[in-house]
Amino acid sequence: AAHCIQNFGSGSISHGFSGWTFTPAYYNGLAPYGSWGWQALVRPASWAYGTDIGSGAARDNDLAVIILRKKSGKFIGDITGYFTYGWNNYSFVRSSKTGNLWTASLTTLGYPGLMDSGRIMQRSDGPSYLTTINGAGQIYQGSNFTGGSSGGPWIANFGYQNPNFSGGASSGSAAANNVIVGVTSWGASDPNAPKDNWSSQFRQNTRYP
C-alpha cells in the first residue's frame, strides 16, 4: 500500500518513510526465511502529491511496489515461489444472483493488530465487491482485519496447485490460481464496529494509466 511508503500528499520520497524489510512467513517471532532488505520502490505520483481522487483513506491508487535485494544471488521468490497479478476487474463477474454487483470470491492475508498483536498472519475468505467512493475505485470485503493489515494481498483463486479431476469432471473456465487483484488499504478502526476492509483496485485510470 502506498501509505506504507509515505503519507498521502507528502511530496517527494525524501518526505516518506524508510528502512523497509520483508520477513516472509513470519510467525510469532519466528522467521524461517530471514528478513530481506529493499532495493528500490515505485508509488504513483498522484498519491505522493495528493492529486488522487477519493476521500479520506479511500483513494484510487493506494498502491506501491518494493523490489527486494537478492541474497546469495537469489530473489526471495526463487525460494518461496511467486504469485501473479490481475487488473481491470480480473476475476469479477456480474450476475442477477448478486444483485448485478461486480463480485469475486477473494482471500485476504495480513497481520492485523487486533489479533495476536499482529504477530501471526490471518486469513479471511469471502465475497468481495467492486465499488467507488467519491470516484475512487475500491474493492470491499467484510472481515475482522484492522490496522497492521495494510499491503496484504487480495488473492483470486487462492490455492497451491490445480487439482486433478476424476470421472470426467471439469473446472469449466477456471482462471489461474494465486492472482493478486489488490492490497489492503484501509478499514474500520473500531474493533467493535461493523467490519469493513477495503483495497484500491488494480486498474488503469487516468491518474495512473
Side-chain angles (χ1 to χ4, degrees):
H3 75 259
C4 297
I5 302 296
Q6 66 179 125
N7 290 327
F8 181 70
S10 57
S12 70
I13 198 59
S14 62
H15 296 102
F17 313 128
S18 61
W20 302 281
T21 59
F22 178 49
T23 307
Y26 175 85
Y27 182 86
N28 203 25
L30 302 177
Y33 300 103
S35 292
W36 296 63
W38 73 288
Q39 179 72 34
L41 63 86
V42 63
R43 83 287 183 246
S46 60
W47 175 270
Y49 294 99
T51 59
D52 230 350
I53 61 173
S55 176
R59 298 288 171 176
D60 228 9
N61 296 292
D62 186 10
L63 309 165
V65 175
I66 293 179
I67 300 172
L68 303 175
R69 289 195 186 99
K70 289 182 175 180
K71 283 187 180 182
S72 302
K74 292 185 176 182
F75 290 111
I76 181 58
D78 297 330
I79 299 170
T80 61
Y82 294 92
F83 286 175
T84 186
Y85 65 95
W87 62 97
N88 291 347
N89 301 355
Y90 178 90
S91 81
F92 283 85
V93 296
R94 196 175 218 170
S95 167
S96 59
K97 295 177 181 178
T98 58
N100 288 321
L101 298 172
W102 286 101
T103 309
S105 180
L106 300 183
T107 297
T108 57
L109 304 174
Y111 290 86
L114 174 68
M115 303 177 207
D116 303 302
S117 300
R119 296 175 60 84
I120 297 175
M121 183 187 290
Q122 306 294 335
R123 170 179 172 176
S124 175
D125 299 272
S128 304
Y129 305 93
L130 296 181
T131 186
T132 57
I133 296 178
N134 285 354
Q138 300 283 290
I139 309 173
Y140 164 78
Q141 184 188 83
S143 82
N144 286 354
F145 284 11
T146 54
S149 308
S150 293
W154 292 45
I155 309 167
N157 309 312
F158 185 53
Y160 177 67
Q161 61 186 12
N162 288 314
N164 292 315
F165 289 94
S166 302
S170 169
S171 60
S173 57
N177 281 352
N178 301 323
V179 181
I180 300 176
V181 297
V183 295
T184 299
S185 175
W186 63 286
S189 58
D190 181 353
N192 297 308
K195 306 303 189 292
D196 291 338
N197 207 19
W198 303 81
S199 166
S200 297
Q201 294 177 31
F202 282 7
R203 67 171 185 164
Q204 294 167 290
N205 54 72
T206 56
R207 286 150 301 287
Y208 199 50

